[in-house]
Amino acid sequence: MTDPQFEEILRGHLPFLPADEPLTPDTNLTDHGLDSLGIVDLLTALEGQYGVAFVDDALTRETFETVGSLWSVLDGLRPAAV
Amino acid sequence: MTGTAATDRLDGTLHGRFLRGLAIAPDRPAFRVGGREVSYAQAHETALTWAGTLLDGLSAPPATVGVFANKSAEAYLGTLAALYTGAAVVPLHPDFPAARNRYALTAAGVGAVVTDGRGAGALAELLPDGATVLTPDGSGAGRVLRPRPELALAAPRPADPDDAAYILFTSGSTGVPKGVRIRHSSNRHYFSVVDGRYDFGPDDVFSQTFDLTFDCAMFDLFGAWGSGACVQPVPLRGLRTLPAFAAEHGLTVWFSAPSAIDVVRRTGGLAPGALAGLRYSFFAGEPLRCADADEWQRAAPDAAVENLYGPTELTITVSGHRWSAASTARSANGIVPIGPVHPGHDHLLLGPDDRPVTTDVADPVEGELCVTGPQMCAGYLDPAENAGRFVEHDGRTFYRTGDRVRRFPDGELTYLGRADDQVQISGLRVELSEVTHAVRTCPGVTDAAAVAPVVDGEPRLFVFHTGEPLPAATIARHLRDLLPAGMLPRHYRHLDAMPLNPNRKTDRKALKERAAALLAVPAGGGAGKGSAPMTPEVDAGNAQLDQPAGGRVDQPARYLHDILDTAAATWPDSTAISDSTGAWTYAEVARLSHAAAGWLRGQGVRRGDRVLVQLPNMRHAAPLWFALSRLGAVFVPLNPGMKDFHLRSVIADSEPVLALVAADPGDRFGAVPAVPVGDCWSAVQDAATTPADATSADATPTGVVPVDSADVQPDDPVAFMYTSGSTAAPKAVVLPQAPVAFAAAGIQAMLGYRPDDVVFCRSPLSFDYGLYQILLATLAGAELALAADEPEVRLLRQLRSTGATVFPAVPSLATALVKLLARDPGPTSLRMVTNTGAALPQAVIDGLRAGLPGAQVVRMYGTTECKRISIMPPDEEFDRPDSVGRPLPGTRVRILDADGAEQPPGEVGEIVVTGPHVMAGYWKLPELTARTFRLHPDGEVRLHTGDYGHVDTDGYLYFSGRRDDMFKRKGTRMSSIEIEAAAMDVPGVRAAAVLPPTDTRDLTIFVAADLPPTTVLRELAVRLEPAKVPAVCRVLAEFPLTLNGKSAKQQLTAMLEAETR
């Protein structure tokens, strides 16, 4: 579902996630250490990596709730896969 | 034209000098900025591309090209590219007021601008429709060009000798700046003098200290570039560590305003030999003092030290004097001579009758210096400005410098002073009439006079004003929109009427004498102020503090509800407070506060009772607090995130009679009645809208029966602030009415919130900084906009959607804002960002200034025990970057050593505060209260903050750290703060926290970064003495935060202890 870059960036912002624990779509980001300031950094990192800009309406707690919610928003912003 | 002809024509141009450097040293650096080195070949290629792209995007070659950037790579490349188009460069300072830049753009007819990413947003508001912008990456709004290499010019376009090379704007007498065109031919002559006088070469590194809007910067750039040398901008940090900076960057040629010498001296950089690498040191822009030149010469023994002189109209500098032991013999007023006028020029001296003084005498003569020759400009953009600035003599036109000089028979000149009311302040020419004019436009001011007495060798701007007795801060804020920062007066005095001279004109001489007397009042009672003629008391008094005579500072409201009632009477229909669900006006808040007081009384709340209020940030908090104030009861705000464990302790400690909560709390509050605010509010709203008993004489016009507050006393507690995060028992600071009202009024006097402000509050109201925003907004009649409960990632959007003009921040919020601005640049309405909680890293301050052009960043320092200790006056935001400002008006800070002895300026000791803002102590903790709020034998209560710091001779406070932050290691006394600051300076470090050494653990630092620990330690070793480099570095992705957004060292300590267990 996701790609390795996404997972790598995400793990960098989840200090409570052990390296050997897999990410699943239901993994709760807040529970794994993503705080409100971490969201700002994560957002910047993802936008930089994928060359996209999150629209204002996507900047909600819900977007940053789980791995799956974040990926689906990000995936929707990316140009159609080639 | 032929290629040869074009080359010939380039030879005489300013950009032709760059081509010379290119030929000499194509692969050497033309400049270095922030670790980036750009070679002559690269700069040439880039400038050709930018110039070609600009020309392609314009219908015709432009006459002028603006460069909206300062001392950055884009600024340098933009300057070159502008010249490469064959146009004149118009440097524009991004930090200048928009009105001034807009004027410059229009006056110079600028239709195309090069800017950097930072400038693109601000520029969009300035540019006329249809203007073209080039940014390095094509970002920005409007008609933006992205450089396209395929459009690169084959060669720079030449320019005629009479074409303008650049257009600069200087202070004008009519209140608008004067545009000056400086021709290529003038520069050619100037640089031929430079080439003949100095031996610059490709191994030289030139400092670049001047803003590009100041023509001395043209020497920095084209002096270096004509000889293949490198241009090295010097940031303030570099100035403050100049010996190390100069050595690191290999500086050989120094050029700055003389005021830089004082900065270098104060930061310990002028020791003999400290600047041994310099071959040349030039000073210009203001009088150079002999003592300064002498000291600089000792620091730079191998440098030729020169005092250069010249107005913009005479192309950069038109005379120069090389400092030597013989110089003082010809100085006047301790000022270094300015040397003979450049070869190729003629000059004359005008006497008081505007006639040339006799020249055929052997003795020195004096008069106003007038110069003609190839460096003289052809006149101002607006020919009307030429009047009076030029004088005809023997059929030739001379430029009147306005400077009085003494000439010796061999042609050497010595500067005596300004002939008219133009003064040079920090290198900036200030026309006093322009300042006067600007003050007069301030609403409430009837008349004004700006004078500039010389005190301690420096001219100081002093404003007298009549009309309403406006606070200095009010006028200063008004001027800030009209004048560049360097032209802002620091001293203000209200007069009932201007003194008049026999001609019935304002007696400026008398005012100047009076200002000098006011500024020269010797140091008063304070200890250790030494011989500094500017005492803190006088400076503060004139600049900020004693101005609102009869206003809120001198006689502040003593009750919070009085503050509200004043606001409701003054601004009844202004929005007082808003949240995501609605807003209330001041009249409504006042009415609701009466209704809520009635409801609370019905619940049994009496004077002295505590009421817990645990709510998210919602506007109900304001009328509730004022309601409790009316009853003499105590508002106890609690963070909505407070854990049950803490909550139980707080309940036991405060023994509340009532709790107001967001939703049904179950049994969290035990025996305390806990009422959801919704239930309370339906009753309050009913009361507020039900007509009062018509027979009641007490009925307010709004229909609510007012609550009688007659029993309330100034020292009744009006709030408890519980400190959070500690594992120890909860500790509440008791906040009585009068100190809270005093502190709020003092803060407002210094910050100057305005009725049209929207104050955006994201801090919880359980944090005193958040809670006081209610009072600050109410004192000003401003709107307090409480942030909706949304993640920080929405912060910028919230700021924009609320139209916020003031943002009280803590470092973590400010950091988030900088990041959000980076991804989403664009205008906001912000005019002020204040910071408290902890020091703001310089990088964040820089980021705020870059992302929020025009907004002031205000440093503050305080503690709940007296609310606010010091504030850096907003208009001094660029001064003393390490200071936390001045004490609140009417309060005092002492620095005491361990024995209670007051320390002299510069010595670190405990920060001890006295004044009407000191709170009552800690609730039910008499011993801790007695220890912290110490009763001095003279009857004064001294708040021992447990913080360490020092004051400077001007009374500005510097924070070193908490008592806990101060420790000794390897025999060296140090503070966590300085080590953390050094870590924050390491690129890539996002946060840093130091744990001092203990018996079982050596000095440890935690950083949030993506760097290996070894890299961090290595970088720290570059920045710190060996004893201060931590033994251990731990790298985390993110820091844990407490509820107030401060990083929690206790959690880090616990982490460390858990590992080692």
Side-chain angles (χ1 to χ4, degrees):
Chain A
M1 173 200 79
T2 68
D3 66 29
Q5 286 168 335
F6 177 73
E7 178 161 342
E8 188 186 329
I9 291 172
L10 205 48
R11 280 185 181 275
H13 290 81
L14 301 175
F16 307 159
L17 185 74
D20 53 358
E21 186 176 317
L23 281 178
T24 72
D26 293 333
T27 300
N28 184 291
L29 301 181
T30 307
D31 291 350
H32 288 87
L34 183 70
D35 62 15
S36 52
L37 290 177
I39 289 177
V40 176
D41 284 329
L42 176 60
L43 173 74
T44 312
L46 290 175
E47 289 185 335
Q49 174 65 41
Y50 290 95
V52 298
F54 279 61
V55 294
D56 277 340
D57 290 345
L59 301 181
T60 61
R61 279 211 176 81
E62 291 70 35
T63 297
F64 293 90
E65 190 170 1
T66 64
V67 173
S69 64
L70 181 57
W71 175 256
S72 72
V73 171
L74 178 66
D75 203 35
L77 292 171
R78 296 202 299 163
V82 288
Chain B
M1 79 192 72
T2 68
T4 312
T7 309
D8 290 347
R9 290 183 61 208
L10 274 168
D11 268 351
T13 63
L14 191 54
H15 43 305
R17 280 190 69 77
F18 184 89
L19 301 179
R20 216 172 82 180
L22 175 68
I24 296 171
D27 300 321
R28 306 266 307 168
F31 61 84
R32 289 192 297 246
V33 179
R36 177 180 164 204
E37 191 168 291
V38 177
S39 72
Y40 277 83
Q42 289 167 328
H44 179 62
E45 192 181 331
T46 305
L48 286 172
T49 296
W50 290 11
T53 305
L54 274 173
L55 289 168
D56 179 74
L58 297 166
S59 54
T64 54
V65 172
V67 176
F68 190 73
N70 190 38
K71 292 160 83 169
S72 63
E74 289 80 5
Y76 301 148
L77 293 167
T79 300
L80 199 56
L83 290 168
Y84 275 16
T85 67
V89 191
V90 182
L92 298 160
H93 199 308
D95 293 336
F96 276 7
R100 191 180 173 99
N101 279 331
R102 205 175 284 126
Y103 175 82
L105 284 163
T106 309
V110 174
V113 181
V114 179
T115 186
D116 50 20
R118 170 197 165 185
L123 193 57
E125 286 189 22
L126 296 175
L127 275 182
D129 285 343
T132 300
V133 177
L134 181 139
T135 60
D137 59 359
S139 66
R143 204 179 126 62
V144 178
L145 301 175
R146 175 200 287 267
R148 287 164 55 193
E150 68 274 21
L151 297 175
L153 295 179
R157 284 169 51 90
D160 284 331
D162 275 344
D163 286 348
Y166 53 85
I167 296 175
L168 296 176
F169 288 83
T170 68
S171 179
S173 56
T174 55
V176 294
K178 292 191 287 202
V180 187
R181 292 173 77 250
I182 300 297
R183 293 167 297 191
H184 285 280
S185 58
S186 296
N187 278 286
R188 177 178 208 175
H189 186 90
Y190 171 76
F191 282 109
S192 73
V193 173
V194 166
D195 290 342
R197 195 173 165 98
Y198 315 113
D199 62 344
F200 303 139
D203 291 333
D204 279 315
V205 178
F206 279 54
S207 70
Q208 212 274 289
T209 68
F210 292 100
D211 287 339
L212 298 190
T213 44
F214 191 10
D215 63 344
C216 287
M218 292 297 171
F219 170 90
D220 295 343
L221 298 186
F222 293 95
W225 288 346
S227 49
C230 176
V231 173
Q232 172 67 55
V234 183
L236 185 61
R237 199 173 65 197
L239 197 57
R240 298 179 71 255
T241 57
L242 190 60
F245 183 88
E248 182 186 347
H249 297 284
L251 287 186
T252 59
V253 180
W254 178 263
F255 189 21
S256 74
S259 51
I261 298 175
D262 194 44
V263 178
V264 178
R265 177 189 298 119
R266 282 190 283 117
T267 48
L270 272 194
L275 302 169
L278 295 180
R279 302 204 306 125
Y280 289 100
S281 294
F282 304 117
F283 297 95
E286 54 194 346
L288 173 66
R289 292 193 287 192
C290 293
D292 285 348
D294 182 57
E295 198 171 347
W296 187 278
Q297 180 76 76
R298 289 169 201 271
D302 297 331
V305 176
E306 293 200 350
N307 186 24
L308 307 182
Y309 163 85
T312 300
E313 288 83 347
L314 295 174
T315 311
I316 310 180
T317 60
V318 76
S319 76
H321 171 92
R322 185 162 297 188
W323 173 254
S324 74
S327 298
T328 48
R330 286 186 163 184
S331 75
N333 307 318
I335 301 300
V336 179
I338 57 176
V341 170
H342 280 181
H345 291 76
D346 286 321
H347 72 278
L348 52 86
L349 305 186
L350 289 185
D353 55 357
D354 273 3
R355 296 164 65 92
V357 299
T358 321
T359 54
D360 51 354
V361 290
D363 293 327
V365 289
E366 296 181 1
E368 182 187 348
L369 178 66
C370 304
V371 179
T372 191
Q375 285 182 222
M376 186 178 78
C377 72
Y380 297 101
L381 282 188
D382 178 359
E385 293 280 7
N386 294 343
R389 299 315 314 157
F390 295 88
V391 62
E392 301 287 331
H393 185 70
D394 282 352
R396 302 171 70 191
T397 303
F398 289 73
Y399 173 71
R400 295 183 69 152
T401 63
D403 288 320
R404 288 185 63 244
V405 299
R406 174 180 301 152
R407 190 186 57 213
F408 294 87
D410 61 357
E412 173 103 70
L413 303 175
T414 292
Y415 176 84
L416 299 174
R418 293 294 300 171
D420 52 18
D421 74 352
Q422 284 186 344
V423 290
Q424 295 277 142
I425 296 198
S426 303
L428 195 65
R429 183 191 309 170
V430 178
E431 201 94 57
L432 292 176
S433 51
E434 183 181 8
V435 178
T436 300
H437 175 77
V439 177
R440 284 191 187 127
T441 64
C442 183
V445 169
T446 308
D447 194 8
V451 294
V454 175
V455 176
D456 198 23
E458 297 280 346
R460 296 181 195 259
L461 272 180
F462 201 120
V463 165
F464 291 95
H465 56 100
T466 65
E468 287 176 35
L470 297 175
T474 302
I475 302 175
R477 268 194 313 281
H478 176 79
L479 296 183
R480 197 169 173 276
D481 294 328
L482 302 172
L483 303 173
M487 280 173 63
L488 289 174
R490 290 279 169 72
H491 310 283
Y492 301 83
R493 176 78 36 161
H494 175 259
L495 299 174
D496 291 330
M498 290 290 170
L500 299 179
N501 65 18
N503 294 333
R504 308 296 297 163
K505 291 183 176 173
T506 297
D507 192 342
R508 301 180 51 81
K509 191 158 164 274
L511 288 175
K512 193 170 169 183
E513 284 165 4
R514 184 162 172 188
L518 286 165
L519 290 169
V521 171
K529 301 232 176 54
S531 60
M534 293 288 297
T535 72
E537 287 80 6
V538 169
D539 196 18
N542 290 326
Q544 300 282 350
L545 310 185
D546 70 0
Q547 275 296 315
R552 288 176 183 141
V553 174
D554 284 355
Q555 295 175 310
R558 291 192 299 174
Y559 305 103
L560 304 198
H561 48 274
D562 283 353
I563 296 175
L564 173 65
D565 291 341
T566 300
T570 313
W571 306 282
D573 300 322
S574 296
T575 301
I577 189 164
S578 61
D579 60 18
S580 57
T581 65
W584 289 317
T585 64
Y586 279 102
E588 287 172 322
V589 172
R591 193 165 69 233
L592 287 165
S593 73
H594 277 289
W599 181 85
L600 286 163
R601 199 165 49 187
Q603 301 294 307
V605 176
R606 296 291 180 267
R607 181 175 163 228
D609 285 345
R610 276 80 60 197
V611 174
L612 302 185
V613 179
Q614 189 178 30
L615 298 173
N617 277 10
M618 50 199 290
R619 65 187 193 277
H620 304 69
L624 279 171
W625 192 18
F626 290 118
L628 289 164
S629 169
R630 292 188 194 285
L631 296 174
V634 186
F635 182 81
V636 187
L638 302 180
N639 193 302
M642 182 177 265
K643 306 289 184 205
D644 284 358
F645 165 74
H646 276 134
L647 182 60
R648 281 194 297 274
S649 310
V650 166
I651 290 171
D653 186 60
S654 61
E655 301 173 285
V657 299
L658 182 71
L660 289 165
V661 295
D664 186 356
D667 58 359
R668 292 180 70 223
F669 286 82
V672 180
V675 180
V677 73
D679 297 355
C680 150
W681 219 252
S682 54
V684 169
Q685 291 275 21
D686 281 351
T689 51
T690 302
D693 179 350
T695 61
S696 167
D698 292 337
T700 65
T702 55
V704 177
V705 179
V707 172
D708 181 11
S709 301
D711 289 347
V712 181
Q713 298 299 311
D715 50 2
D716 280 353
V718 72
F720 282 5
M721 296 301 307
Y722 275 93
T723 57
S724 66
S726 166
T727 53
K731 186 175 77 176
V733 180
V734 176
L735 277 52
Q737 292 266 8
V740 171
F742 180 92
I747 297 167
Q748 163 62 6
M750 289 187 84
L751 294 183
Y753 286 10
R754 309 190 294 227
D756 59 350
D757 272 327
V758 176
V759 182
F760 179 81
C761 181
R762 239 199 106 88
S763 298
L765 298 178
S766 53
F767 182 35
D768 68 346
Y769 190 42
L771 188 63
Y772 274 77
Q773 297 303 323
I774 294 177
L775 302 179
L776 298 181
T778 306
L779 282 165
E783 174 185 344
L784 181 63
L786 298 174
D789 180 28
E790 292 180 335
E792 245 107 11
V793 78
R794 302 272 277 200
L795 172 62
L796 182 54
R797 187 198 161 114
Q798 289 182 326
L799 287 166
R800 287 191 176 125
S801 66
T802 54
T805 58
V806 176
F807 177 37
V810 291
S812 58
L813 276 177
T815 305
L817 179 56
V818 168
K819 288 173 179 164
L820 291 169
L821 281 164
R823 68 174 280 278
D824 184 12
T828 70
S829 307
L830 285 174
R831 68 173 188 88
M832 186 191 293
V833 177
T834 65
N835 177 67
T836 193
L840 213 48
Q842 189 59 41
V844 177
I845 294 179
D846 293 343
L848 289 173
R849 287 181 180 145
L852 302 169
Q856 293 174 317
V857 180
V858 183
R859 289 163 271 152
M860 310 197 296
Y861 160 65
T863 173
T864 303
E865 283 82 347
C866 68
K867 176 54 212 165
R868 179 64 56 232
I869 294 173
S870 64
I871 297 178
M872 181 53 83
D875 294 320
E876 299 174 32
E877 63 171 324
F878 295 103
D879 301 343
R880 308 173 210 253
D882 296 332
S883 170
V884 291
R886 308 178 57 82
L888 280 196
T891 73
R892 177 157 182 200
V893 167
R894 290 183 178 86
I895 304 296
L896 302 185
D897 70 8
D899 300 324
E902 189 157 351
Q903 299 289 95
E907 292 292 316
V908 172
E910 186 177 12
I911 297 171
V912 176
V913 181
T914 52
H917 60 330
V918 172
M919 303 297 168
Y922 302 107
W923 178 245
K924 288 203 234 171
L925 295 168
E927 286 170 14
L928 179 63
T929 299
R931 222 167 36 239
T932 309
F933 296 79
R934 289 188 210 169
L935 185 61
H936 196 256
D938 65 7
E940 182 181 66
V941 173
R942 293 183 169 184
L943 171 63
H944 284 247
T945 62
D947 286 347
Y948 282 70
H950 70 276
V951 293
D952 66 19
T953 51
D954 292 330
Y956 289 78
L957 182 62
Y958 297 76
F959 174 78
S960 313
R962 288 289 301 167
R963 182 181 284 136
D964 305 341
D965 294 323
M966 307 295 297
F967 56 90
K968 262 191 171 179
R969 179 174 179 245
K970 300 181 182 174
T972 304
R973 188 167 170 79
M974 63 192 82
S975 104
S976 307
I977 309 290
E978 61 181 318
I979 302 170
E980 287 163 4
M984 292 299 289
D985 191 52
V986 176
V989 171
R990 297 185 292 272
V994 162
L995 302 183
T998 65
D999 293 346
T1000 57
R1001 175 188 81 211
D1002 199 350
L1003 178 61
T1004 301
I1005 186 165
F1006 280 82
V1007 296
D1010 303 315
L1011 302 168
T1014 48
T1015 303
V1016 176
L1017 291 176
R1018 209 162 47 233
E1019 290 290 325
L1020 283 175
V1022 175
R1023 292 166 173 80
L1024 294 169
E1025 303 155 44
K1028 297 177 180 174
V1029 178
V1032 180
C1033 173
R1034 297 295 175 115
V1035 175
L1036 305 175
E1038 294 301 331
F1039 269 24
L1041 293 173
T1042 65
L1043 295 173
N1044 287 340
K1046 301 179 186 179
S1047 26
K1049 289 198 184 178
Q1050 285 168 353
Q1051 296 183 45
L1052 295 172
T1053 309
M1055 250 161 85
L1056 206 58
E1057 283 165 358
E1059 284 176 24
T1060 52
R1061 202 164 284 150

